[in-house]
Amino acid sequence: MNDQDETAPPRTPTAVRPGESPSRRSFLRKVAGGTAGLAAAPALLSGTSRPALAGPADPANLPPNNPPWTTTAGYGVVEYPYGMPSPYEANVVRRNVDWLTADRIASISFTPLADLSGIITPNGVCFERHHGGCADINPDEHRLMIHGMVDRPLIFTMDELTRFPSVSRIHFLECPANGGMEWKGAQMTRLQYTHGMIHCCEWTGVPLSVLLDECGVKPGAKWILAEGADAAGNHRSIPMDKALDDALVAWGQNGERLRREQGYPIRLFLPGYEGNMSVKWLRRLEVGDKPWHSREETSRYTDLMADGKARKFTFMQEANSVITFPCPEKPIRQGPGLYHVSGLAWSGRGKIRRVDFSADGGNTWTPARLNEPVLSKCLTRFEIPWTWDGKDAFLQCRAIDETGYVQPSLPQLRAVRGTNSIYHKNSIYTWHVLPGGEVENVQIS
Amino acid sequence: MNDQDETAPPRTPTAVRPGESPSRRSFLRKVAGGTAGLAAAPALLSGTSRPALAGPADPANLPPNNPPWTTTAGYGVVEYPYGMPSPYEANVVRRNVDWLTADRIASISFTPLADLSGIITPNGVCFERHHGGCADINPDEHRLMIHGMVDRPLIFTMDELTRFPSVSRIHFLECPANGGMEWKGAQMTRLQYTHGMIHCCEWTGVPLSVLLDECGVKPGAKWILAEGADAAGNHRSIPMDKALDDALVAWGQNGERLRREQGYPIRLFLPGYEGNMSVKWLRRLEVGDKPWHSREETSRYTDLMADGKARKFTFMQEANSVITFPCPEKPIRQGPGLYHVSGLAWSGRGKIRRVDFSADGGNTWTPARLNEPVLSKCLTRFEIPWTWDGKDAFLQCRAIDETGYVQPSLPQLRAVRGTNSIYHKNSIYTWHVLPGGEVENVQIS
């Protein structure tokens, strides 16, 4: 990828329409090899067919004799009390786009999905969005107050909070603006920018229901205001049923304490709901009987429909998926042959039941293998073998969750939602594999 | 904890014996409060009893008005392309002990278990053991050769390896010397040193069975030599049945590429087997019909029995467990009352079925709650409420795995294994909670 991409505005749409070039018909012809590859897939996985994926044990294929690390002692254990990735992985970092927000401080950085494996996002590259910069809080001076319609308003120190019973859960967290730049047709040139406002970590904390029980919620209470201690004072209205279901007041992220960008020392965590509601740097929870209609749930984080009216309180992150190999940052560099297409699927409503793969722009679909364990409201890694014939191919994936919901195409989504929205765009993407192996983000309409 | 502990030799044993002081009888009297707390546990978890864990919403309990992070924009998204923990967590790091190995380069560092939550170990603090320092390999110059009793000896580049089908699995990896300094009775003064040679990550790689199938294993092949590219050239004999079962050639660790300390760019990963066999910086796999009897499986990583003979090829990490709160580094600082004891259990043979907790040195046991998901050959987090009466208490936990194996006491283990060993010490530990809330590692014999 060209580094200039990082600050460039998105390309104008590269749409593929039936009857135009490439026509649906030539398109199907082109991917005939891909379809054949799919048919052969189970045999390949079980090892009955062997593509030439490696060279023979010929000395000419060996690296230079005795590279330095084989002959000289390496660095010692005391040099990295807290370790960092290899310098050869220095490009696996969060990135932002300068033109997306008015400010580089209160902005967004994106997870480098193309370079990641499995489902855990390492803390160092989790995307972040903040509205007043990233707060740098001294945990000894931090408090959480719970008040409003409760029998016993309480203030908790960190020591008090971590004394409660805790649970650990692996969940994704996604900004509802993920992919939102493309509602009207702009096309981002990196997977990092099309889908990088998501991460998936193991979160540890006390169930919010336990804290509410400690305070005693009064009859008639229906909503909770969650407020952050950052300079923006982000605050959102949380439905009581979510608060009593699986909401956490979390202090742990992938085994260690939350990163500052993720709300250190504590954040609210609402599995499956839009990320902005999982209020970071959490300092206050007010129990009430109606929502507060804060800035972030009126002028922002609402869905502007075609008729000019805005839908409010659309909290759920519906089923979504994306192919992470191949992708714009990870083109096919070894020519035609067998590859294993890999990607991620997720749903705010529960578990992923199935992920379908298409190499012909959505005409034919084949189920991919899901990597176990498949967890609720969590990224699910899928993989499927695919033989590339070296010609144009149009790769898609679609997620089906345990409720039976099927991830829609972009035309299907626009038919319902129009093109005014920024948030909750979970439509199917198309990666156009070019004959040279490069991969472009295109639209099929 | 006193920082001097890091370089101090271990204390001499503090053994508690029935009939001596504290006697078994006075001991039981002392923990009566603890037993009562256990009986009340389910009610506490469901919220029908409310200990005073937090102050009222009194302005006097609030932090100073308007701490700086509430009034001033924080740092920006571009400042940390690869993020780091909060400076307030600077003590959560790997540590080594100077006296344990002859060399600080080719040595051991320990995972800071007392400060971690959940089951995922963040890559930055995963324990490491290396015998020739940590190799710093250029992945473009690295190759994996598979040869010996195969039809097609092959050499793989990294691009070729990552083109194979891959899986991701969450597994622990433990050095068999974990706790080994205590076979003869020495007692380490930190949880980090008693159990810190373990970590648990999501590992991504190609099943070794797929690569072996690619090469075609000849009839009669029973063992595989795995060799690292580091200066020590660590090499171990791997049974063919393990290689064909769940062994991985791994390049991913918690979503990103392996850390250098973990064998970047590739390592062998043998779930549930002693860590030294999961050869890091893997460069060669030789297929044969018998083991190689390398240095690391003869003069090291064998179990010297009481009769002076050594058991070889004792690969399995049997069921084990430890309490992480309270522990020497995390004493009880808030006085008598309700706490939630937390800890970790694991077994190289599969899933943890149950973890029992005792507050009276093993006289009475109560099952703890296991945090879901409970995965095979993976850390399992457990938690149990316990009311401390402010007196001496002797906390223990014991793991039972899905095969029915029960973690032994130290006397039980010594009766079978003697005291000559270094490796595979998985006996029950006792944390002595002192009246002031401090926690000591003691032995009950």
Side-chain angles (χ1 to χ4, degrees):
Chain A
M1 282 301 297
N2 189 326
D3 276 337
Q4 272 71 55
D5 284 339
E6 291 179 36
T7 52
R11 290 185 300 105
T12 48
T14 306
V16 179
R17 294 180 187 82
E20 297 180 18
S21 177
S23 73
R24 180 71 74 184
R25 212 170 144 203
S26 64
F27 182 34
L28 278 174
R29 259 201 319 274
K30 280 179 186 170
V31 297
T35 306
L38 285 173
L44 286 166
L45 268 180
S46 65
T48 56
S49 170
R50 293 188 189 86
L53 288 185
D58 180 332
N61 284 342
L62 283 170
N65 278 337
N66 300 329
W69 48 83
T70 66
T71 54
T72 309
Y75 62 83
V77 301
V78 295
E79 291 179 37
Y80 291 89
Y82 194 94
M84 290 290 284
S86 163
Y88 294 101
E89 301 296 321
N91 66 330
V92 183
V93 291
R94 295 184 284 225
R95 290 181 174 83
N96 66 334
V97 283
D98 277 0
W99 51 266
L100 184 60
T101 54
D103 190 305
R104 285 167 67 97
I105 301 292
S107 187
I108 306 168
S109 69
F110 297 81
T111 306
L113 292 178
D115 289 292
L116 303 184
S117 56
I119 60 169
I120 296 291
T121 312
N123 291 347
V125 295
C126 285
F127 94 95
E128 43 175 341
R129 167 74 170 119
H130 17 85
H131 298 258
C134 177
D136 203 349
I137 293 181
N138 178 345
D140 294 337
E141 295 184 20
H142 190 70
R143 300 290 185 277
L144 172 64
M145 177 164 74
I146 304 182
H147 68 130
M149 293 176 66
V150 296
D151 297 327
R152 293 171 295 280
L154 293 173
I155 294 172
F156 301 90
T157 65
M158 284 303 298
D159 282 347
E160 288 163 346
L161 280 173
T162 54
R163 194 171 157 184
F164 278 94
S166 65
V167 297
S168 298
R169 301 278 180 258
I170 304 176
H171 290 301
F172 78 85
L173 184 140
E174 184 181 24
C175 178
N178 210 10
M181 295 87 89
E182 304 204 7
W183 267 111
K184 291 191 174 63
Q187 282 171 265
M188 307 302 290
T189 56
R190 294 176 78 107
L191 166 62
Q192 189 162 14
Y193 301 142
T194 61
H195 291 81
M197 292 191 213
I198 192 168
H199 52 59
C200 186
C201 300
E202 184 187 35
W203 302 95
T204 297
V206 51
L208 178 52
S209 60
V210 170
L211 297 180
L212 291 174
D213 191 66
E214 190 77 9
C215 296
V217 172
K218 285 187 188 295
K222 295 258 171 51
W223 291 82
I224 299 178
L225 182 77
E227 181 186 76
D230 60 323
N234 179 31
H235 51 299
R236 291 292 304 263
S237 304
I238 314 298
M240 182 61 76
D241 59 354
K242 184 67 174 175
L244 295 177
D245 178 14
D246 58 358
L248 298 179
V249 171
W251 54 79
Q253 179 191 6
N254 286 336
E256 61 191 0
R257 292 298 172 107
L258 295 181
R259 294 296 175 88
R260 291 172 293 178
E261 304 95 300
Q262 300 295 329
Y264 181 85
I266 46 168
R267 78 177 304 167
L268 189 61
F269 194 89
L270 304 179
Y273 275 25
E274 59 184 25
N276 176 264
M277 299 176 73
S278 287
V279 172
K280 299 191 281 193
W281 311 293
L282 184 69
R283 70 170 171 189
R284 191 166 72 89
L285 293 166
E286 182 178 349
V287 180
D289 57 1
K290 51 188 179 302
W292 278 257
H293 304 289
S294 72
R295 173 186 185 276
E296 303 296 342
E297 57 203 26
T298 51
S299 79
R300 298 291 185 281
Y301 298 102
T302 53
D303 301 327
L304 188 58
M305 306 296 282
D307 65 0
K309 290 190 178 176
R311 298 197 311 171
K312 289 170 63 172
F313 305 131
T314 53
F315 304 139
M316 188 63 72
Q317 294 296 111
E318 298 284 1
N320 203 343
S321 65
V322 69
I323 292 169
T324 61
F325 174 79
C327 74
E329 296 101 312
K330 296 288 176 189
I332 301 178
R333 296 216 186 275
Q334 297 167 278
L338 175 67
Y339 291 90
H340 289 85
V341 171
S342 181
L344 294 166
W346 61 95
S347 168
R349 293 194 189 271
K351 293 184 182 183
I352 290 296
R353 177 188 294 168
R354 200 176 86 216
V355 178
D356 292 332
F357 169 70
S358 175
D360 58 11
N363 284 308
T364 59
W365 296 94
T366 308
R369 176 182 64 80
L370 306 186
N371 191 78
E372 294 289 341
V374 175
L375 302 173
S376 183
K377 307 173 188 181
C378 181
L379 292 189
T380 295
R381 174 69 60 176
F382 65 88
E383 192 175 277
I384 186 166
W386 171 61
T387 298
W388 181 46
D389 60 7
K391 299 174 183 167
D392 291 274
F394 296 82
L395 309 188
Q396 297 185 343
C397 59
R398 70 176 175 201
I400 296 102
D401 71 18
E402 63 179 331
T403 72
Y405 175 96
V406 180
Q407 183 186 354
S409 68
L410 184 55
Q412 285 172 329
L413 196 61
R414 282 182 177 155
V416 178
R417 299 271 309 278
T419 59
N420 289 327
S421 276
I422 296 171
Y423 305 104
H424 301 293
K425 180 184 169 294
N426 67 320
S427 60
I428 293 167
Y429 270 70
T430 307
W431 294 151
H432 177 192
V433 180
L434 298 160
E438 298 294 319
V439 178
E440 279 190 342
N441 172 21
V442 300
Q443 289 176 20
I444 293 187
S445 55
Chain B
M1 281 304 295
N2 189 328
D3 277 335
Q4 272 71 54
D5 284 339
E6 291 177 37
T7 52
R11 289 187 298 107
T12 48
T14 305
V16 178
R17 291 183 188 82
E20 298 179 18
S21 176
S23 74
R24 180 72 74 184
R25 211 167 147 205
S26 66
F27 185 32
L28 277 174
R29 258 201 318 276
K30 280 180 186 170
V31 297
T35 306
L38 284 173
L44 285 166
L45 269 179
S46 64
T48 56
S49 171
R50 292 187 190 85
L53 287 185
D58 179 332
N61 282 341
L62 283 170
N65 278 337
N66 301 327
W69 48 82
T70 66
T71 55
T72 309
Y75 62 84
V77 300
V78 295
E79 290 179 39
Y80 291 90
Y82 194 94
M84 289 290 283
S86 162
Y88 293 102
E89 301 297 321
N91 66 330
V92 183
V93 291
R94 295 184 284 225
R95 289 181 174 84
N96 67 335
V97 282
D98 277 0
W99 52 265
L100 184 59
T101 56
D103 190 304
R104 284 169 67 95
I105 301 292
S107 187
I108 306 168
S109 68
F110 297 80
T111 305
L113 292 178
D115 289 292
L116 303 184
S117 56
I119 60 171
I120 296 291
T121 313
N123 291 348
V125 295
C126 285
F127 94 94
E128 43 175 342
R129 167 74 170 118
H130 16 86
H131 298 258
C134 177
D136 202 349
I137 293 181
N138 178 345
D140 294 339
E141 295 183 22
H142 190 71
R143 301 290 186 275
L144 172 64
M145 179 164 73
I146 303 182
H147 69 129
M149 292 176 66
V150 296
D151 298 327
R152 292 170 296 281
L154 293 173
I155 294 173
F156 301 89
T157 65
M158 284 303 299
D159 281 348
E160 288 163 346
L161 279 175
T162 53
R163 192 173 160 184
F164 278 93
S166 65
V167 296
S168 299
R169 301 280 180 258
I170 303 176
H171 289 302
F172 77 85
L173 184 142
E174 184 181 23
C175 178
N178 209 10
M181 294 87 87
E182 305 204 7
W183 266 113
K184 291 191 173 63
Q187 281 171 267
M188 307 302 291
T189 55
R190 294 176 77 107
L191 165 61
Q192 187 162 15
Y193 300 141
T194 61
H195 291 81
M197 293 190 214
I198 191 167
H199 53 59
C200 185
C201 300
E202 184 188 34
W203 302 95
T204 298
V206 52
L208 177 52
S209 60
V210 170
L211 296 181
L212 291 174
D213 191 67
E214 190 78 8
C215 296
V217 173
K218 286 188 187 295
K222 295 256 170 53
W223 290 82
I224 298 180
L225 182 77
E227 180 186 76
D230 60 325
N234 179 31
H235 51 300
R236 290 294 303 263
S237 303
I238 315 295
M240 183 62 76
D241 59 354
K242 184 65 175 178
L244 296 176
D245 177 15
D246 59 358
L248 299 179
V249 172
W251 53 81
Q253 180 191 7
N254 286 337
E256 62 192 0
R257 292 298 172 107
L258 295 181
R259 293 297 175 86
R260 290 172 293 178
E261 303 96 300
Q262 299 297 327
Y264 181 86
I266 47 169
R267 77 177 304 166
L268 188 62
F269 194 90
L270 303 180
Y273 275 26
E274 58 183 25
N276 177 264
M277 300 176 74
S278 287
V279 173
K280 300 191 280 192
W281 312 292
L282 184 70
R283 71 171 171 189
R284 190 166 72 91
L285 293 167
E286 182 177 350
V287 180
D289 57 3
K290 50 188 178 302
W292 278 256
H293 302 290
S294 71
R295 172 186 187 275
E296 304 295 341
E297 58 204 24
T298 51
S299 80
R300 299 290 185 279
Y301 298 102
T302 51
D303 301 327
L304 188 58
M305 306 297 282
D307 65 1
K309 290 193 178 175
R311 298 197 310 171
K312 286 170 64 172
F313 305 131
T314 52
F315 305 140
M316 188 63 72
Q317 294 296 111
E318 299 285 1
N320 203 343
S321 64
V322 68
I323 293 169
T324 61
F325 174 80
C327 75
E329 297 100 311
K330 296 288 176 189
I332 302 179
R333 296 219 185 274
Q334 297 167 279
L338 175 68
Y339 290 89
H340 289 84
V341 170
S342 182
L344 295 166
W346 60 97
S347 168
R349 294 195 188 269
K351 293 184 183 182
I352 290 295
R353 177 189 292 168
R354 199 175 86 215
V355 178
D356 292 331
F357 168 71
S358 175
D360 57 12
N363 284 308
T364 59
W365 297 93
T366 309
R369 176 183 65 79
L370 305 186
N371 192 76
E372 295 288 340
V374 174
L375 301 173
S376 183
K377 305 172 190 181
C378 181
L379 292 189
T380 295
R381 173 69 62 176
F382 65 89
E383 193 176 275
I384 186 166
W386 171 60
T387 298
W388 182 46
D389 60 7
K391 299 173 183 167
D392 291 274
F394 296 83
L395 308 189
Q396 297 184 345
C397 60
R398 70 175 176 201
I400 297 103
D401 72 17
E402 62 179 331
T403 72
Y405 175 96
V406 180
Q407 183 186 352
S409 67
L410 184 56
Q412 286 172 329
L413 196 62
R414 282 181 176 155
V416 177
R417 300 271 309 278
T419 59
N420 289 328
S421 277
I422 297 171
Y423 306 102
H424 300 293
K425 179 182 170 295
N426 66 321
S427 59
I428 293 168
Y429 270 70
T430 306
W431 293 151
H432 177 192
V433 181
L434 298 160
E438 297 295 317
V439 177
E440 279 190 344
N441 173 22
V442 299
Q443 289 176 21
I444 294 186
S445 56

